Amino acid sequence: GENVEQHPSTLSVQEGDSAVIKCTYSDSASNYFPWYKQELGKRPQLIIDIRSNVGEKKDQRIAVTLNKTAKHFSLHITETQPEDSAVYFCAASRGGTASKLTFGTGTRLQVTL
Amino acid sequence: GAVVSQHPSWVICKSGTSVKIECRSLDFQATTMFWYRQFPKQSLMLMATSNEGSKATYEQGVEKDKFLINHASLTLSTLTVTSAHPEDSSFYICSARKPIPTIFYEQYFGPGTRLTVT
């Protein structure tokens, strides 16, 4: 089955700096890669996703890049703000009728003033 | 919209009793729902995939006789933790798949249910 590794497990940045979280996956058939933000005790919220037919996607301060050859994808947050502090999870799926998500281990992002 | 609710949001039960958790898609029909378990400071682990009108598909290592899943309608799936023990204490989260006409199906998550077994 799919295995998703995520690094780093914790990340502390100063407000205004950029944050990068990286994930690798094992299943070459995976073609859907969402990123979720989860605050303590809350549900995961989809912040951005990327399909395998593109290499990069951007939404305001958030961007995701995908390298299918190397089987890794990354989340980039620019101009970080204190409200970006949360746990971020990457995930991978084959899409289609299965659409089972395999999650990474999570990154705890702390944005300090 | 794509709103998923769960009930209850938290529950405390005694060891040996059973607990039922409901997951509802409020504004769309969900042919497939997923049940996850999340221990403190850990990732979401898929327990089972629930398909309306058929038996759930359980992930390896998840006891199907202990975690009973019923998906009787297109908007409701239930997870029953039978003979609960303290080690079953966890955050249980469901998600529902919106059947948009594309091969990529996004999942929408419920708010979670915190189960504490004493």
Side-chain angles (χ1 to χ4, degrees):
Chain A
E2 174 69 277
N3 181 50
V4 178
E5 294 188 356
Q6 184 172 346
H7 299 282
S9 56
T10 60
L11 179 60
S12 182
V13 299
Q14 284 195 324
E15 183 180 7
D17 288 349
S18 296
V20 180
I21 303 171
K22 299 181 179 181
C23 288
T24 60
Y25 61 98
S26 61
D27 185 355
S28 56
S30 290
N31 52 22
Y32 174 58
F33 308 93
W35 284 89
Y36 291 89
K37 175 183 180 182
Q38 187 181 31
E39 298 178 354
L40 189 62
K42 301 287 183 62
R43 77 186 82 195
Q45 291 192 311
L46 179 70
I47 56 172
I48 197 168
D49 58 15
I50 191 167
R51 275 65 156 149
S52 60
N53 56 340
V54 297
E56 185 174 356
K57 182 178 179 180
K58 189 174 182 180
D59 183 4
Q60 299 184 337
R61 297 186 296 110
I62 296 174
V64 58
T65 57
L66 170 66
N67 183 327
K68 285 216 72 176
T69 303
K71 289 191 280 189
H72 66 69
F73 56 113
S74 301
L75 176 71
H76 304 253
I77 305 175
T78 58
E79 300 172 25
T80 53
Q81 302 167 1
E83 50 265 39
D84 294 330
S85 297
V87 179
Y88 291 80
F89 292 98
C90 62
S93 168
R94 289 188 171 191
T97 55
S99 67
K100 185 169 68 172
L101 287 173
T102 300
F103 282 84
T105 48
T107 297
R108 184 171 300 276
L109 174 64
Q110 180 70 42
V111 180
T112 58
L113 296 173
Chain B
V3 181
V4 177
S5 71
Q6 270 183 252
H7 178 81
S9 55
W10 59 271
V11 58
I12 302 173
C13 71
K14 291 186 176 180
S15 186
T17 61
S18 295
V19 174
K20 180 186 283 189
I21 302 170
E22 294 185 348
C23 177
R24 293 181 186 273
S25 56
L26 299 185
D27 54 0
F28 66 99
Q29 294 184 330
T31 53
T32 303
M33 291 183 174
F34 302 87
W35 287 96
Y36 296 85
R37 180 167 53 183
Q38 186 177 33
F39 291 110
K41 296 186 178 181
Q42 293 190 23
S43 187
L44 286 83
M45 298 300 295
L46 180 65
M47 299 176 66
T49 302
S50 169
N51 295 294
E52 187 268 336
S54 64
K55 291 183 178 180
T57 303
Y58 290 82
E59 294 299 300
Q60 191 172 9
V62 178
E63 300 175 58
K64 61 181 180 181
D65 294 331
K66 180 171 181 62
F67 299 98
L68 302 179
I69 291 172
N70 184 287
H71 193 158
S73 78
L74 287 172
T75 60
L76 173 64
S77 176
T78 61
L79 168 68
T80 301
V81 182
T82 63
S83 187
H85 291 287
E87 56 265 31
D88 298 323
S89 299
S90 188
F91 194 47
Y92 292 86
I93 308 175
C94 71
S95 71
R97 193 185 75 192
K98 197 174 184 182
I100 52 178
T102 167
I103 64 171
F104 300 102
Y105 296 97
E106 296 180 15
Q107 291 185 25
Y108 299 89
F109 285 85
T113 296
R114 185 161 302 284
L115 170 63
T116 301
V117 185
T118 61

